[in-house]
């Protein structure tokens, strides 16, 4: 079953098109990253999925219910990017309030709240008012409220932006725990390292359009960056290497040549061609592109200003 | 209904935690102390001259209505101030995002806040207007007719101001919303005076202008209703249309009371619609 299924979601603010075409399919139980530069339409997309903003056109279902349906919202959790909450409430009161908004019974709330406070490392802060919380603690209590109803789909908008390395590790572990329980996580983050460590798939959005979706576990079909060191590299060699890949270039003064192969299956052919054409091969180092490399390839110079 | 009550409780608890309730209670008691002392000494002065032409009950009525006038003003101010940042503040700070994404109707948020504020205004009206009337009774033995009805209308004046501020908060910033609410109150207030003076000089245009302003903000017209309600029939029959500075020249229509009720519910519906259809 699809946790999120959108077709051509579009949002216009007057003449400005914030999201031109959001077409996504997110499987139940996967950790899905949503990436793009500032101003690409990520926030508006997430707001449309959460029912905070009405799409101008297009259609979508979340957990098999139409967009904005209360039945789907009952099974969803959301940690907002701007994790500002009622600072005059105590941590346990805050979670109790959100439990009531989820329609949870008093017994269910009483059982879930202490466990969640422990889970996010705030077990001893139950009676502390949120006004006395640090930024990281607010983000953790926000995460706890997003998990109160044992959701099947969780939206996490920049969930580690206010956290120290220990807090980031904690959030990563919680996300992995959610995956084991079969919960779908929709992760919107600028921290590509975190996304790479956490997500199963990612989608890239540029200028309001989903331009590419990647499976981060599928290394066989990933592009491979290769560094070669051969005896006497010539300009003719560089031209000949273009039959294998793109971005062929010679490193200045080191005799090394770099190029990008479509995937790792081209590696043996490249090595064979070099040795059979009289090139002495001293080094062939493949390196899978990092998510940041992929991000730069896909998004390129389209980073926005906002 | 559970969600409406949850939001109403949250609203009251916020007023309590932010000390709005306590400051209201403390300053209300201070107001009653000043009123009680003033009332006592003025009545004492009249008791020293029992042959005076002005009966004590007329003085008691005048002072009570003066006291209630201040209560009406404070209640309207309270209605605006407690509601002014209720929605716009939560929208600006993004607090609202974690609330409206829960499996609840947006209408329940509006109704819950409205109910919570209405309870606070009711408590405030009961304390100040009830306290004022109690002081008058304990010191002079005078009880105005229709007192409960009068207190209900004072409460409703606060509710009008609060509901108007809630609908503004669904779309406007806190500052713009506050400015709008106070200006509308000013229009209703000055319109009431224009109507009174117009009636005195039999200028129909001025009277119509006053009625129009009352339709826009029906608080001053309700205040004139209160004067008519609290003034004993025997005093009205003798041509007395209110005490000294609160003489009612243009008697308000009974239909205005019904209009004030519909006004609030129309605003409330408008607030629900505006909040339900907006983007965050």
């Amino acid at each position: 079953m699809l946790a999120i299924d959108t077709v051509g979601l579009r949002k216009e603010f007057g003449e400005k098109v914030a999201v031109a075409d959001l077409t996504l399919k997110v499987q139940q139980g996967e950790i899905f990253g949503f990436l793009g530069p500032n101003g690409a339409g990520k926030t508006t997309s997430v707001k449309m999925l959460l029912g905070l903003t009405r799409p101008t056109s297009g259609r979508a279902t979340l957990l098999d219910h139409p967009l904005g349906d209360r039945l789907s919202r009952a099974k969803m959790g959301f940690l907002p990017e701007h994790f500002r909450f009622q600072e005059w409430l105590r941590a346990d009161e805050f979670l109790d309030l959100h439990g009531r908004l989820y329609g949870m019974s008093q017994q269910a709330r009483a059982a879930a709240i202490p466990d969640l406070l422990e889970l996010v490392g705030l077990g001893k802060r139950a009676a502390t008012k949120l006004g006395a919380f640090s930024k990281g603690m607010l983000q953790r209590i926000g995460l706890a409220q997003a998990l109160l109803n044992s959701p099947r789909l969780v939206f996490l908008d920049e969930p580690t932006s206010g956290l120290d390395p220990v807090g980031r590790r904690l959030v990563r572990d919680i996300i992995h725990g959610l995956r084991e329980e079969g919960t779908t996580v929709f992760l919107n983050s600028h921290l590509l390292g975190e996304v790479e460590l956490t997500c199963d798939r990612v989608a890239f959005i540029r200028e309001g359009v989903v331009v590419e979706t990647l499976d981060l576990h599928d290394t066989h079909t990933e592009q491979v960056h290769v560094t070669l060191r051969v005896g006497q590299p010539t300009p003719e060699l560089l031209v000949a290497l273009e039959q294998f890949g793109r971005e062929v270039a010679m490193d200045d003064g080191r005799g090394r040549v770099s190029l990008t192969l479509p995937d790792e299956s081209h590696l043996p052919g490249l090595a064979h061609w070099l040795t059979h054409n009289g090139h002495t091969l001293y080094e062939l180092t493949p390196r899978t592109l990092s998510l940041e490399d992929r991000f730069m390839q896909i998004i390129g110079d389209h980073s926005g200003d906002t | 209904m559970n969600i409406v009550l949850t939001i109403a409780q949250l609203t009251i608890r916020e007023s309590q935690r932010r000390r709005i309730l306590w400051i209201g209670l403390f300053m209300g008691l201070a107001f009653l102390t000043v009123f009680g002392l003033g009332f006592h000494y003025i009545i004492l002065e009249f008791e020293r001259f029992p042959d005076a032409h002005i009966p004590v009950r007329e003085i008691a009525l005048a002072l009570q209505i003066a006291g209630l006038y201040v209560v009406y003003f404070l209640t309207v101010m309270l209605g605006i101030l407690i509601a002014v940042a209720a929605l716009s503040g939560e929208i600006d700070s993004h607090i609202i995002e974690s609330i409206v994404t829960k499996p609840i109707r947006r209408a329940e948020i509006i109704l819950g806040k409205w109910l919570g504020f209405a309870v606070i205004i009711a408590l405030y009206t009961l304390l100040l207007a009830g306290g004022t009337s109690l002081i008058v009774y304990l010191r002079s033995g005078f009880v105005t007719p229709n007192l409960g009805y009068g207190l209900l209308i004072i409460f409703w004046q606060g509710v009008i101001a609060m509901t108007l501020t809630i609908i503004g908060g669904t779309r406007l910033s806190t500052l713009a919303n506050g400015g709008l609410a106070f200006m509308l109150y000013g229009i209703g207030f000055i319109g009431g005076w224009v109507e009174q003076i117009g009636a005195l000089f039999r200028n129909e245009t001025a009277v119509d202008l006053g009625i129009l302003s009352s339709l826009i903000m029906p608080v001053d017209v309700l205040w004139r209703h209160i004067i008519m309600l609290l003034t004993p029939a025997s005093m009205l029959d003798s041509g007395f249309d209110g005490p000294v500075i609160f003489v009612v020249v243009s008697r308000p229509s009974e239909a205005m009371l019904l209009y004030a009720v519909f006004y609030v519910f129309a605003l409330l519906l408008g607030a629900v619609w505006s909040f339900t259809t907006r983007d965050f």
Side-chain angles (χ1 to χ4, degrees):
Chain A
M1 187 185 87
L2 289 172
I4 302 172
D5 185 8
T6 73
V7 180
L9 276 191
R10 182 181 178 88
K11 182 64 183 179
E12 298 169 2
F13 294 104
E15 291 186 357
K16 187 184 174 226
V17 179
V19 175
D21 176 7
L22 184 74
T23 300
L24 275 179
K25 293 196 190 307
V26 178
Q27 301 291 330
Q28 181 70 47
E30 73 176 338
I31 312 296
F32 193 86
F34 195 53
L35 308 175
N38 292 334
K42 292 195 305 294
T43 300
T44 306
S45 298
V46 172
K47 284 184 172 182
M48 281 196 289
L49 294 176
L50 287 161
L52 288 166
T53 296
R54 285 162 184 257
T56 308
S57 61
R59 59 187 168 82
T61 57
L62 273 75
L63 302 171
D64 277 346
H65 296 289
L67 199 62
D69 192 294
R70 281 189 296 141
L71 288 172
S72 62
R73 276 190 274 150
K75 300 171 193 165
M76 282 164 46
F78 170 47
L79 170 64
E81 179 185 6
H82 307 279
F83 40 91
R84 288 276 305 276
F85 306 115
Q86 294 86 345
E87 59 185 31
W88 44 271
L89 282 176
R90 297 177 354 182
D92 55 354
E93 291 172 338
F94 169 74
L95 292 181
D96 189 65
L97 164 69
H98 283 269
R100 290 169 75 175
L101 296 178
Y102 273 123
M104 295 166 68
S105 68
Q106 191 175 355
Q107 290 88 339
R109 299 196 306 270
I113 290 170
D115 289 349
L116 277 167
L117 284 170
E118 284 296 332
L119 181 71
V120 298
L122 294 171
K124 292 177 181 165
R125 298 289 194 150
T128 305
K129 283 188 183 167
L130 300 190
F133 271 24
S134 67
K135 195 177 172 189
M137 290 160 78
L138 281 174
Q139 201 155 19
R140 287 199 236 175
I141 196 76
L143 182 61
Q145 68 81 29
L147 304 178
L148 255 176
N149 58 334
S150 303
R152 289 172 57 199
L153 171 61
V154 185
F155 287 87
L156 302 178
D157 202 351
E158 302 287 356
T160 55
S161 59
L163 297 177
D164 58 21
V166 178
R168 285 182 187 179
R169 180 67 175 265
L170 178 88
V171 171
R172 208 183 305 145
D173 290 345
I174 289 173
I175 293 174
H176 287 147
L178 289 170
R179 175 169 33 207
E180 284 170 18
E181 292 167 10
T183 306
T184 309
V185 179
F186 190 93
L187 183 65
N188 185 18
S189 177
H190 273 112
L191 300 172
L192 298 180
E194 290 291 328
V195 172
E196 199 164 17
L197 284 169
T198 313
C199 290
D200 300 315
R201 282 199 308 143
V202 293
F204 295 88
I205 182 170
R206 190 180 71 197
E207 295 173 351
V209 180
V210 176
V211 287
E212 192 163 337
T213 305
L214 283 182
D215 185 338
L216 297 186
H217 300 308
D218 189 3
T219 53
H220 300 297
T221 58
E222 269 191 49
Q223 292 184 339
V224 180
H225 190 78
V226 178
T227 303
L228 303 170
R229 189 157 68 85
V230 296
Q232 305 296 322
T234 60
E236 290 75 22
L237 170 65
L238 298 186
V239 173
L241 285 174
E242 284 178 358
Q243 65 182 297
F244 292 97
R246 55 193 182 83
E247 297 172 358
V248 181
M250 177 119 68
D251 289 356
D252 290 341
R254 293 185 174 181
R256 284 190 170 88
V257 176
S258 65
L259 75 159
T260 302
L261 303 182
D263 59 64
E264 64 181 16
S265 69
H266 292 76
L267 280 170
L270 174 63
H272 185 263
W273 183 88
L274 285 168
T275 52
H276 279 78
N277 284 277
H279 297 285
T280 314
L281 182 61
Y282 292 99
E283 179 189 341
L284 190 153
T285 309
R287 181 173 65 85
T288 307
L289 295 185
S290 69
L291 189 59
E292 188 173 309
D293 294 330
R294 302 299 292 266
F295 183 91
M296 294 310 296
Q297 275 185 356
I298 294 166
I299 301 302
D301 295 328
H302 290 80
S303 284
D305 298 320
T306 54
Chain B
M1 193 60 191
N2 278 342
I3 298 299
V4 173
L5 293 179
T6 298
I7 300 289
Q9 277 176 11
L10 183 75
T11 305
I12 294 168
R13 192 190 286 176
E14 180 174 9
S15 298
Q16 182 196 344
R17 292 273 171 90
R18 289 188 184 274
R19 300 195 179 93
I20 295 168
L21 273 187
W22 301 121
I23 288 173
L25 177 68
F26 179 75
M27 294 313 292
L29 290 174
F31 167 81
L32 290 176
T33 305
V34 172
F35 178 80
L37 287 172
F39 188 78
H40 168 69
Y41 285 112
I42 291 170
I43 294 295
L44 197 65
E45 194 66 24
F46 275 87
E47 285 171 345
R48 284 170 58 196
F49 303 102
D51 297 334
H53 293 294
I54 306 174
V56 169
R57 69 172 197 153
E58 249 183 58
I59 297 301
L61 175 67
L63 290 176
Q64 180 169 5
I65 288 188
L68 291 179
Y69 183 74
V70 178
V71 173
Y72 138 63
F73 175 77
L74 291 176
T75 308
V76 168
M77 292 300 113
L78 177 80
I80 294 173
L81 291 174
I82 56 173
V84 72
L87 285 169
S88 54
E90 292 190 357
I91 293 167
D92 288 346
S93 66
H94 301 275
I95 286 176
I96 202 75
E97 292 177 9
S98 60
I99 305 278
V100 297
T101 46
K102 295 292 183 292
I104 61 176
R105 295 182 180 90
R106 290 190 188 181
E108 290 170 322
I109 298 172
I110 296 288
L111 295 177
K113 284 187 182 289
W114 185 87
L115 184 62
F117 289 140
V119 168
I120 294 169
I121 293 170
L123 291 173
Y124 194 74
T125 308
L126 204 61
L127 172 73
L128 263 66
T132 303
S133 305
L134 187 65
I135 287 168
V136 169
Y137 169 69
L138 291 176
R139 180 62 186 83
S140 68
F142 176 73
V143 180
T144 59
N146 307 310
L147 182 60
Y149 196 8
L151 297 194
L152 187 66
I153 297 179
I154 291 179
F155 159 71
W156 203 249
Q157 288 171 310
V159 169
I160 287 173
M162 177 266 286
T163 314
L164 194 71
T165 313
I166 281 187
I167 192 173
T170 61
R171 298 281 171 155
L172 300 174
S173 69
T174 302
L175 208 56
N177 188 26
L180 178 75
F182 281 118
M183 288 310 292
L184 283 173
Y185 171 69
I187 288 170
F189 181 81
I190 200 67
W193 281 95
V194 168
E195 185 183 342
Q196 294 299 294
I197 295 166
L200 192 66
F201 294 105
R202 294 183 182 162
N203 183 322
E204 284 188 14
T205 309
V207 171
D208 289 345
L209 194 64
I211 292 169
L212 180 66
S213 65
S214 293
L215 290 172
I216 295 170
M217 182 67 169
V219 288
D220 189 75
V221 68
L222 291 188
W223 169 245
R224 276 177 279 142
H225 262 291
I226 292 171
I227 296 175
M228 302 303 291
L229 278 170
L230 300 189
T231 305
S234 58
M235 292 167 78
L236 288 173
D237 290 345
S238 61
F240 184 94
D241 281 353
V244 203
I245 59 169
F246 295 106
V247 171
V248 176
V249 183
S250 171
R251 292 193 178 194
S253 158
E254 290 291 322
M256 263 298 176
L257 287 173
L258 271 179
Y259 175 76
V261 174
F262 283 116
Y263 182 85
V264 165
F265 290 113
L267 283 183
L268 201 53
L269 276 176
V272 166
W273 176 82
S274 173
F275 191 63
T276 304
T277 55
R278 69 157 289 162
D279 287 340
F280 292 103

